[in-house]
Amino acid sequence: MKEELSRIGKNLNMITKRKNDRPNFVSAGKNEHWFFHKRLIVFIVLILLISGCSRKFYREDADREVDKLLNTAGQCDPLWDMSNFSLEQDPASRYSDFHDPEKLPMPPDDPMGHRLMECVDGMRGSSKWNENGQTNTVENLNWVQSLPAPVDGKIIIDQKVAYDLALVHSPNYRTAFENVYLSALNVIEERYKFDVLFYGGESLLYRNNGGFRDGSTSTLTNDLSFGGSKKLATGGTVLIGIANSLVWTFGGNGDRYSPSTSIGYSITQPLLRGAGRAIVLENLTLAERKLLANVRQLIFYQQGFYVYTLAGRSPISLPTTANYPSSGVNAASLSGFYGLLSTQIQILNQQQNVTSLQDNLNRYEELFKAGRVKSRVDVDRVRQDLLKSQSTLLSSKNNYQDSVESFLISIGLPPNIKDIQIKDSLLDQFVLMPKTLEEAQSYLDQYLADLRDTKKKVPDNFRAVYDELKKTTDAGSSETFKDIEHLQKDVSVSRAKAFKVLEERLKQDHKEAGVTFFTPAMLDKRIAAIRSDFDRTEKIKDEYGYDKAKGVKWLLNDIFRLMELTLLKYDRPTLTKMIQDTQAHPEKSPFSEEVIKLVYELQLESALLGEKEADFGEQYDTGLESSSEEARVRENLSKEYSAELKDKLQEVLEPSESSSVLDDPWRKWIQACLTRFSDDLMTLRLVQARARLETMQLAVVDIAPEDAFQVAAEHRLDWMNVRSNLVDQWRNIEIVADKLRGVLDLEMSGNINTKPENSTLSAGFKFDAPLDRLLERDNYRRALISYDQARRTYYNYVDNVNFDIRSTIRSIQLAQMDFELTRENVLTAIQQVHQAQLALTEPPKTSSKVGTVSSTAAMDLVDSLSSLLNTQNTLMRTWLEYHVKRMNLLLMLGLFEINEEGRWIDPGDINSKLLQKYSDGNYPTQDELSGIDKLPTTEKLTGGRDIEEIASEMEKKEAVQKPAPKKEPIPKKEPAFAQGASAK
C-alpha cells in the first residue's frame, strides 16, 4: 500500500514538473499545471458549497421573497394592502419563541418515548438531538407583560384590551397569516419552474486496475459539469450543459493525460398535447389566483376576527394553504366578551332580585307578627322564592367564572390568570337601578334589620344614619335629574326619528299586529310623566281619577324634614316622652304644626297617634290653608274620640309578641319613618329606572334588501373569490381536454465536443397517436360535470347570500320592534313591582287595630319581581343581539371597516345614505377591477325586435330548409275492455 501511494505521488509530481529538455512537451506541461490547479480550486469551492448556505440565510431569503410577492398581490386594491404583512410574532405573545430559530432546543418529551431516541431496537441513538439543549417550557414566559397594569389589584379587561390581547395571543389569528404565507410559497414554487435552473458539480475519482502488481494501471478522473435549463411559456424545454473531463492514466504503456470538453444541448417543443400558454401556465395562474383569494380572505378574516373576539363566534373562515378558502358569513352569536358583559348584567339583576326579596321577606315577617298577614303560607312563599333566587345567583356566578376562563383560552391566554375583572361601559345603560341608590337601600335594609331586632342595641344618636341616607339619596336624586335631562334634550329627538321608521314599517308590513304605540307623541307623553313623578310639587289627579302624591323628590324632602324636626331635634328620652304625650292627649300634642302636617301627608298617623287616631288621617286635609283650621280639626277629633282613643292607646303601648318594637316608641317612630323612607326610595329608584329605560336606543337599520344585495355583489371579498373559483373550474375544462389530443413534439439534441468526431446532432418529431384515451375521456367528462356543479354551487352561493341578507335585515327590523315591545314589558313590570310593594305598606282601611294584607299580595309580589328580572334580562340580550347582528350585516355587505388601530368603525344608522356612499364610486366595482365589459342587453342583441318574433322567423326558415317528415298512420288500438272480450 505504501509503495502504491508513493508511486502515485511521484506520478503527480511528474505531471506538474517543468521539462526544459523537451521543448515539444513544455506547452503541454504548462497546460497540465494550470488545469490541475484550476480544478483543485474549483473542487475545494464545490466541497465548501456542498453544505449550502446557512439555515438563517434560507429562512430570511424565503421571507423576503414572500414579502415581495404579497406586496405585489396587495397592490391590486388598497382594500387588501399587504405592505405590513409579517410572520414575526410580538415579543409579548405567549407563543413567541425567544430561542434561535436555527438552534431550537428540544421541548419537553415523554420520558418513556425519550428512551427510544437514546436506544432503539438495541442500537444506540444519535447524540445530535441534544446539541441545542432542552427546554422545560414551550411558551414565552414574558407574555405576562402584555397584560394591562393592575388597578387596585385588578387586571381590567375592556373591549379594547380584549381585542388587543387577542391580536397578540390568538392561535387562530396567527394561523391565518401562516396559511397565507404557505399559499405564497406555492406561487414561488410555480414561478421557480419557469426560471433558468442551473446545475453544476465536480467529481474526483481514483481507480486502480490489477491491484498493486507490476503492470497494473491507475486512473485519476476529474469531471466538471455546469449547465442550465429553461421551461418556456409555450411548453418547450431548453437544456444546455458543459462537461469537462480530465483523465490521468498511470502505469501500463506509460503515463497518459486525456482532456475532453463537450457542450450538450436539448430542445423539446410540444406541438399538440401540452402545447400553448393556456396549458403550460395553468398551474402558475391557478397558484397566483389562489394566493390572491387568500390575501382577500385574510382581510375578510381580520374583519370577522373583531366580531369573533367580542361576540364569541368566528363568522369568517380561515385562509387555506393551497385551495380556495371557504366562503360565507356565519350567523351571529352572543358569547365571547359581549357574553361576559351580558352575564354580568344578569348577575347584577339577580342580586337586586335577591335584595328585593330579602327586604320584602323581612316586611312579611313583621306583618305576620303584627297579625296583618294571616297565613304563614304567604311568608313561606316569599321565603321560597328568595331561596330559589339565591341558588340561581350562586349558579350564575359559578357559570360566569367558567365563561371568563373559556374566553381567556379563546384569545390564547391560560385560564388561571388571577384577579381578572371584565369591565366595560357598553351595557351600563342596562343598570336601571344604579349603584348609588342600591347602596342606600342596602344600608337602610341593614339598619332596619338591626332596629327590628330588640336584642341589638341601636345608637341613640340618629345623626350618622341621617347623614349617610341624605348623602346617598341626594346623589341618587342628582343622577335621576341628569338622566331625565339627557332624555329630554338628547334622546327624544333621535328616538322620535326611529319611531317614524317603525311606525311606517308597521303600517306597511305589520298592520295585523295591532301595534300602534310607536309614536313620537307617546314618547313625549311618557317623558312628561317621568318628569312629573320626579319633581311634581302638589298632589294631582291621574287620568283615571285617582289621587297622585307629590313627586318623589319632594316626598323624600318631606321625610328628611320630618326626621330633622323629630329625630335630630330631640334626644331619645325627650322624643319618647313627646310621642307618649301625643298618644295620650292628641289635642295637646307637643309637636309643631309642621310636624303634624308632615305626619298626615306621609301617612304616619298610626306611628305617632295610634291606630284609632290614624283612621281619621283620611279626614285630615294636608292642604289646610291656616293653622286655625288645623287646630279646629284637631279639636273636633279629640272631643269625639278622646275617650275611646285612651283605651286603644293602652292596648298599643302594652308589650305584645306581635311586634318587637311596640314597647319602645322611639324605635317605633324610627322604624315608621325609615319604612316610609324605604318606600319613597324605591319609588325614586323606579323613576330613575323608567328614565334610563327610555334613554336606550338602537341604531336604525332601514335599507331595502335589493340595494343591500347589490352592494354586497360589488364589495364582498369572498364573493370575489367565489367568482374566481368558478372561472378556474371553467378553465379546467380546457386543461383536461388538452389530454385528449395526440402527442407531437419537436425534439432536437446533440453535443459539441473538442474532438469533432465525437460531436452529435439529432432532430425530428415524436408522435403518439391518440389511440387509447379512455381515462382522458372520463376525466374530460368529469371536468364538464364538475363545471356544471360549480355553476350550480355558485348560483346557490348567490342565492344564500341574498337570503342571508334578506333574513338578517328582517331579523334586525323585527328586533327593533321587539326591543320596543320589551321596553314596554319592563316598564309594566316596574309599575307592578311598585304597586305590589305599596300594597304591603298601605295603612289599614278599617277602624280595627290591625289591617289585613291581601292573601294574593305575596304571590303578586313574587310574580312582579320575577317578571321584572326576566324582562330586564330579555331587554339587555335583545339590544346586544341586535348590536351583533348589525356587525354581521356589515360583514355580509362587505362594508365592515377597521381603522388603523384595528378598531371597528361603527357607521351608526345603516340606511340608503350609507349604501349610496359605497355606490358613488368610492370603491371600484367588480367589473372595473376585472376589466370585463358588461354583457350586452337583450335589446342590443335582438336589434329591438321581440324575441317571440325572432323565434317564429327561425322556425319558418327551418321548415323551408327541411322537408316535413311523412306521417305514418297510427294503428288503431282497441280499448282494454274490447281486448279482454276478444281474448275470452
Side-chain angles (χ1 to χ4, degrees), residues 14-34:
M14 181 189 69
I15 293 173
T16 59
K17 184 179 178 181
R18 301 183 63 179
K19 298 181 179 180
N20 297 326
D21 53 342
R22 298 178 62 181
N24 60 334
F25 195 71
V26 171
S27 178
K30 290 181 178 180
N31 290 336
E32 292 173 6
H33 181 77
W34 183 82

Side-chain angles (χ1 to χ4, degrees), residues 842-881:
E842 282 185 345
K845 297 300 183 183
T846 66
S847 60
S848 61
K849 171 187 170 182
V850 179
T852 304
V853 176
S854 171
S855 59
T856 62
M859 183 177 296
D860 293 341
L861 178 63
V862 169
D863 289 345
S864 62
L865 288 173
S866 176
S867 176
L868 178 59
L869 174 65
N870 293 334
T871 53
Q872 277 184 282
N873 291 338
T874 301
L875 182 72
M876 179 267 300
R877 290 190 65 86
T878 301
W879 186 92
L880 202 52
E881 289 173 354

Side-chain angles (χ1 to χ4, degrees), residues 54 89 129 176 180 257 347 537 635 671 704 820 847:
S54 66
Q89 284 193 319
W129 307 121
V180 173
Y257 164 68
I347 291 175
T537 58
E635 181 180 359
Q671 180 183 353
E820 296 299 333
S847 60

Side-chain angles (χ1 to χ4, degrees), residues 951-982:
S952 177
E953 291 179 0
M954 293 179 65
E955 290 178 358
K956 291 179 181 179
K957 289 181 180 180
E958 291 178 356
V960 172
Q961 294 174 358
K962 295 182 179 180
K966 295 181 179 180
K967 294 184 179 180
E968 297 183 0
I970 301 175
K972 277 189 176 183
K973 189 175 181 180
E974 295 182 353
F977 67 89
Q979 294 177 4
S982 61

Side-chain angles (χ1 to χ4, degrees), residues 611-623:
E611 294 294 343
K612 188 63 180 179
E613 184 69 21
D615 293 337
F616 304 106
E618 296 180 5
Q619 303 177 34
Y620 190 96
D621 187 0
T622 56

Side-chain angles (χ1 to χ4, degrees), residues 163 166 170-176 179 297-319 325-338 407 410-411 716 718 884 887-888 891-892 896:
Y163 183 62
S170 173
N172 290 337
Y173 194 74
R174 171 75 174 175
T175 301
N179 286 350
Q297 188 70 12
L298 177 61
I299 302 301
F300 203 26
Y301 175 78
Q302 287 179 304
Q303 296 171 355
F305 186 75
Y306 185 91
V307 181
Y308 161 71
T309 303
L310 298 182
R313 179 180 178 183
S314 181
I316 311 298
S317 300
L318 286 166
S326 300
S327 57
V329 178
N330 295 324
S333 64
L334 187 56
S335 53
F337 187 81
Y338 286 162
F407 172 73
S410 70
I411 62 175
R716 267 187 65 159
D718 64 327
V884 175
M887 299 170 75
N888 253 45
L891 284 174
M892 291 178 181
F896 195 98

Side-chain angles (χ1 to χ4, degrees), residues 80 127 173 441 464 490 600 677 721 733 915:
W80 50 82
S127 61
Y173 194 74
Q441 187 69 57
D490 304 326
Y600 280 103
F677 174 80
N721 294 341
I733 297 174
L915 298 187

